[in-house]
Amino acid sequence: MPSRHPEETGHGHVVKRYVTRTYGGLPRYLVLNGGRFLGPRWWHTTRFTRHLLNDAAAITDEELEALLAYEWRSRLTAAWLIGVDRRERFRTRVGDLLLASEVCYSGAAYCFALARFGTHADAEILTAYLDHYLPRTDLHYDQPAALGALLHLDAHRASRFTEPGGLWDEWVRGAAELGYPTETPAALHDWTARQCDFANGRRRG
C-alpha cells in the first residue's frame, strides 16, 4: 500500500489538525504511542482527552482515509480516532494494514481499534495476525499488542497461543535473543483493558 501525502487528495490540513497538535510540548501521536494519558499524573490529561474525544467524533471518513494512506504517525493517530469512535466500517481497512505491517509503531493502534470494535470478526483478524507473525521469531513487530487485544476479546481463542511451550513462549525467546523485553500475557491484557476503559470514559487507578 503506497504512501500518499494528504495534500494529494485535498486533505492537506489533517496532519496539523489531528496528528501534530501539541500537549505539554509533545505532539499527539507521541502521546498516543507512549500512553502517558492513561496514568493519573500527567498534567495535560484532561485537555488531551477532551480534544481526542471531540476529534474522534468530528473527523470525517475521508479525512481518516487520508491519514491511513500516509506514514506511521498519521496511521497511528487515525487508528486511535477510529477506535475511540468505534467506526467499525474501517474494520477491513485496519485489519489489512495490521497484517501488512508496512510501517513501525502504528500496529499497536490498529490492535486497539480492533479491541474497541469488540466482535468475533475482530478476534479473527487478530488471530490471523498472530498465526502469521508469532512463528517469525526474528521479527519484533506488534505481536504483544495483538495478543493483548485478543485476550481482551476472546481469552479462550488466545489460549492456544499462550499455552506453555506454545507459539507465544517461542516468540518471547526469540525476542529476548534480539534484546527486546516482553511483558506477560496478563500485563498485555491489562494494557489493552486500560486503553478501552479510557475510551469508554472510565479511568483505572
Side-chain angles (χ1 to χ4, degrees), residues 40-179:
R41 298 178 182 175
W42 191 46
W43 291 2
H44 307 280
T45 292
T46 300
R47 175 171 167 262
F48 178 86
T49 301
R50 183 176 71 251
H51 290 174
L52 185 69
L53 296 178
N54 289 343
D55 283 348
I59 191 170
T60 68
D61 286 356
E62 292 75 18
E63 289 173 322
L64 285 168
E65 282 290 356
L67 291 175
L68 289 174
Y70 196 31
E71 41 75 90
W72 71 267
R73 301 165 187 82
S74 297
R75 294 183 186 190
L76 181 155
T77 306
W80 262 92
L81 295 171
I82 287 167
V84 167
D85 203 49
R86 278 201 172 116
R87 298 203 193 184
E88 293 187 42
R89 54 192 172 275
F90 282 93
R91 174 180 290 110
T92 298
R93 183 82 165 100
V94 168
D96 288 346
L97 288 169
L98 175 63
L99 291 169
S101 291
E102 295 174 317
V103 296
C104 60
Y105 301 117
S106 57
Y110 304 147
C111 293
F112 159 73
L114 295 170
R116 277 284 288 166
F117 297 160
T119 72
H120 178 74
D122 305 297
E124 287 187 337
I125 293 170
L126 292 162
T127 299
Y129 178 88
L130 291 168
D131 275 329
H132 183 76
Y133 284 103
L134 279 182
R136 293 297 307 272
T137 57
D138 60 321
L139 299 179
H140 191 274
Y141 283 3
D142 299 291
Q143 293 93 333
L147 182 65
L150 184 59
L151 284 165
H152 184 73
L153 293 180
D154 191 336
H156 177 72
R157 184 190 288 261
S159 65
R160 71 176 176 87
F161 297 114
T162 59
E163 62 185 6
L167 283 175
W168 176 252
D169 283 351
E170 292 180 10
W171 183 81
V172 167
R173 283 193 292 271
E177 291 176 1
L178 295 173

Side-chain angles (χ1 to χ4, degrees), residues 27-42:
R28 174 183 276 169
Y29 71 87
L30 276 185
V31 178
L32 289 171
N33 194 46
R36 67 179 61 206
F37 60 97
L38 298 175
R41 298 178 182 175
W42 191 46

